[in-house]
Amino acid sequence: MARPAEFDRSKAVDRALRLFWRKGYQASSLADLLEAMGIGRSSFYAAFTDKRSLFIVCLDLFAERTLALLERSCAQRPPLDALQGFFEGDLFGGRGELRQWGCMLVNTALEMAGVDDGLAAHASRHLDRVQHAFQASLRTAGAPPALADDLAAMLMLVNEGVRVSSRRAAPDARSSPAIAAIFRLVRSAIAVPPVSREITL
């Protein structure tokens, strides 16, 4: 049997990630993946076993990149500015094409719920990690632990809504004022003394 042709694994995975991110798991066929990755069927199976295994690799990579971007931004800017930038998409360099694809983690949790609960749960665990990063940033910004937890949970709900909205190509003009308003609430909540720090929406 001929040996599968060698290829650049990292580049192939990155191309697969972009395809899955744009089209979703179910709509990305094996033929689509082979074409996008520039590899043959035998090389694919030798390196990744099957489509589901490759998808998990891509999902994990997307999560690590997202968390690394957020961590790097928080190290360079005030934490609330970094968080707001995350929601407004400027951590991705303002690339409209990528922003319109939403978040691969949110997309997967929605697409695979009731279809492949294992993949949906895997994406949800990564979303929990993102929420924990929100909590850490809010605590660095001065929020007491309980308030940071509550605000992080609220921001995750906002995050999921923003990413779904971006998939339906909602104009940025609609989302940006809403995000700014959310962060005015967050900044105000952190500045409120502990005895009266209730958020009224």
Side-chain angles (χ1 to χ4, degrees):
M1 180 181 293
R3 290 181 57 192
E6 294 184 0
F7 61 94
D8 187 320
R9 180 185 173 92
S10 63
K11 287 184 179 179
V13 169
D14 189 63
R15 291 167 182 161
L17 184 156
R18 291 173 66 88
L19 180 68
F20 282 134
W21 184 6
R22 179 171 56 87
K23 295 186 66 175
Y25 177 74
Q26 297 177 93
S28 299
S29 67
L30 179 58
D32 292 335
L33 286 164
L34 296 179
E35 181 179 358
M37 298 166 76
I39 63 176
R41 188 179 296 264
S42 58
S43 294
F44 177 88
Y45 285 119
F48 305 108
T49 307
D50 55 31
K51 173 183 165 181
R52 190 177 190 278
S53 298
L54 172 61
F55 185 76
I56 291 173
V57 169
C58 293
L59 204 60
D60 292 346
L61 179 59
F62 184 91
E64 294 307 321
R65 287 179 176 176
T66 299
L67 289 163
L69 281 168
L70 186 53
E71 181 179 354
R72 186 161 60 248
S73 182
C74 286
Q76 297 170 347
R77 306 161 66 178
L80 294 184
D81 290 349
L83 281 178
Q84 187 166 346
F86 174 84
F87 281 84
E88 292 174 343
D90 66 6
L91 300 194
F92 297 96
R95 296 177 62 181
E97 177 190 50
L98 299 185
R99 292 173 65 180
Q100 288 178 11
W101 296 351
C103 168
M104 188 176 173
L105 303 177
V106 174
N107 295 347
T108 301
L110 292 174
E111 178 193 3
M112 304 314 294
V115 177
D116 186 325
D117 290 336
L119 287 180
H122 196 76
S124 293
R125 284 191 291 272
H126 282 311
L127 287 170
D128 288 342
R129 294 175 63 205
V130 175
Q131 184 170 327
H132 292 153
F134 292 168
Q135 291 171 346
S137 296
L138 290 161
R139 290 181 186 183
T140 300
L147 179 61
D149 292 349
D150 289 344
L151 291 175
M154 179 187 74
L155 288 178
M156 179 50 70
L157 290 175
V158 173
N159 178 58
E160 292 171 357
V162 167
R163 306 314 167 195
V164 170
S165 179
S166 67
R167 289 289 291 184
R168 65 181 180 85
D172 288 347
R174 287 188 202 162
S175 58
S176 293
I179 291 169
I182 288 292
F183 275 89
R184 283 195 296 272
L185 285 174
V186 170
R187 294 172 193 275
S188 176
I190 292 176
V192 170
V195 292
S196 61
R197 59 169 190 266
E198 295 184 359
I199 302 176
T200 302
L201 297 177

